[in-house]
Amino acid sequence: MIATLPLTDLLDREDIYLHFRAGSIVEAIPQLLRPALQRRIQDTQLVNTIIDAAVKREQDTPTTCGALALPHARNANLQNFVLTLGANAEGAIDGHPNLRLIFAFASPEAKREQHLQLLASLARLSQNPRVIDQIVSAPDAGSVIETLRNAGA
């Protein structure tokens, strides 16, 4: 059995963007993922490859799940998960007020089971409007982490 990774173990405070807004999910992907990837990976080409893969995947198969969007990619050269969050009570995407959270992430190709578990955990979160409301109204990133921890995410 592969251990489940809690969201709070994967999400760094620096990778939480409150009052986030983008024109589309595709536009949001580099805004959210690039800073997080660049802090962890020195290879600019790899960063661009991961972002391009997430954009292509989103264009091929949209990842909206209730109030959440879950754009993501897997890469064999990535060693660790990179999870980011854009949150906005009025909608994280222009013209879509109900799409309030975007969890953009990249995962190592070799950790497929954990990747699927992360997707399942985020899908469960999409079913919890109380927690979503707490996240989008959080005053700071630390409060988001605490909300996720209290929700068992």
Side-chain angles (χ1 to χ4, degrees):
M1 175 79 177
I2 295 175
T4 302
L5 299 171
L7 294 180
T8 54
D9 287 354
L10 300 176
L11 189 59
D12 190 299
R13 284 179 167 86
E14 289 181 89
D15 300 322
I16 298 172
Y17 300 90
L18 301 175
H19 312 289
F20 178 84
R21 180 69 68 113
S24 68
I25 296 170
V26 166
E27 184 182 299
I29 292 168
Q31 291 177 24
L32 292 169
L33 276 179
R34 188 174 307 283
L37 288 167
Q38 287 176 329
R39 278 196 313 280
R40 294 164 175 88
I41 302 170
Q42 304 311 311
D43 182 345
T44 302
Q45 185 174 354
L46 178 56
V47 168
N48 290 335
T49 297
I50 293 168
I51 290 169
D52 290 348
V55 165
K56 181 172 180 356
R57 191 198 179 294
E58 185 65 30
Q59 289 171 329
D60 291 346
T61 308
T63 60
T64 54
C65 183
L68 279 65
L70 309 173
H72 58 279
R74 291 176 29 221
N75 187 283
N77 295 313
L78 192 60
Q79 300 303 309
N80 297 302
F81 283 83
V82 176
L83 177 65
T84 66
L85 170 62
N88 191 319
E90 280 80 46
I93 300 299
D94 291 336
H96 298 276
N98 295 328
L99 187 55
R100 300 172 9 163
L101 300 176
I102 302 173
F103 283 96
F105 67 95
S107 59
E109 185 73 41
K111 296 185 178 180
R112 181 175 174 75
E113 186 66 32
Q114 289 99 331
H115 174 89
L116 295 173
Q117 289 173 357
L118 175 57
L119 281 171
S121 177
L122 292 168
R124 281 190 301 276
L125 179 64
S126 76
Q127 310 260 321
N128 193 332
R130 181 185 58 79
V131 172
I132 292 169
D133 287 344
Q134 289 175 340
I135 291 170
V136 299
S137 63
D140 55 47
S143 298
V144 171
I145 297 287
E146 189 63 28
T147 296
L148 289 168
R149 186 174 289 119
N150 290 340

